[in-house]
Amino acid sequence: MPIYFFNESKINLPLKGKKILLKKFIQNLAKKENKKIENISLIFVTNKKIRELNKRFLNKDYNTDVIAFYYNSPNEPISGDIFISVSQVKKNAKKYNETFQNELLRIIIHGCLHLFGYKDYTDSERKIMTEKQENYLNEFLNILKKIK
């Protein structure tokens, strides 16, 4: 169940020394959500790239922070790509008075939840997803505090 990281954005990511721990955490998230991972790629891209993907695959002509693509049937192990606009995450961090690292981790978890089948189209879906996302983020941040 490999999890890959690809940085195409040319912006340094605040994940140095945390990737192995993050991979294990994502694998544990999948277990908690009763999912199995075949492979997940986290692809960090530019605003230009995320906008192209958003327009091409979702018919939305604007930047977004994350887009997740799931390649298997719902009951099969998860194989998917999570595209993250690093510039958009940085903007969001500033807007919400959050650290770049924490906002990036939040968006990674958000993308994983999409691969696990969660949606955020309606208010009720958004509420469920946001609650899970924030709980998992806090769980991971607590792990990071313990290893410092």
Side-chain angles (χ1 to χ4, degrees):
M1 43 182 166
I3 298 171
Y4 304 102
F5 293 81
F6 302 99
N7 187 0
E8 299 175 1
S9 73
K10 298 180 183 163
I11 296 174
N12 288 331
L13 303 175
L15 299 175
K16 188 173 183 178
K18 299 176 185 93
K19 287 182 183 175
I20 292 171
L21 189 61
L22 185 56
K23 286 179 183 185
K24 288 180 183 176
F25 186 76
I26 292 169
Q27 290 165 345
N28 285 332
L29 286 185
K31 285 179 188 171
K32 287 179 182 183
E33 295 292 333
N34 297 313
K35 302 291 181 182
K36 292 185 180 186
I37 295 173
E38 184 175 318
N39 64 69
I40 293 176
S41 293
L42 296 163
I43 307 160
F44 303 93
V45 298
T46 62
N47 271 343
K48 180 180 178 185
K49 179 69 173 180
I50 203 107
R51 188 176 191 134
E52 287 172 7
L53 293 169
N54 208 13
K55 188 173 184 181
R56 181 174 176 197
F57 294 103
L58 302 174
N59 292 320
K60 298 177 181 176
D61 191 15
Y62 55 82
N63 293 337
T64 188
D65 47 14
V66 62
I67 297 175
F69 294 102
Y70 186 88
Y71 302 122
N72 295 57
S73 298
N75 295 326
E76 295 179 334
I78 293 165
S79 176
D81 293 331
I82 300 171
F83 289 87
I84 296 171
S85 169
V86 180
S87 295
Q88 195 64 44
V89 170
K90 281 186 109 170
K91 286 178 189 175
N92 289 353
K94 189 174 183 179
K95 178 179 177 180
Y96 299 119
N97 197 28
E98 183 61 87
T99 66
F100 178 35
Q101 173 191 274
N102 289 3
E103 189 63 17
L104 184 61
L105 292 169
R106 177 178 283 112
I107 295 306
I108 290 169
I109 291 166
H110 186 91
C112 289
L113 290 173
H114 275 306
L115 291 184
F116 299 162
Y118 289 91
K119 307 276 187 247
D120 56 3
Y121 300 123
T122 67
D123 287 343
S124 60
E125 289 173 336
R126 217 173 353 271
K127 183 180 179 195
I128 291 166
M129 193 167 178
T130 299
E131 191 173 294
K132 281 193 169 282
Q133 166 189 298
E134 294 306 306
N135 287 338
Y136 286 140
L137 175 62
N138 287 326
E139 189 178 322
F140 189 71
L141 293 175
N142 286 331
I143 291 168
L144 288 180
K145 285 179 192 173
K146 289 178 185 176
I147 63 168
K148 282 189 176 183

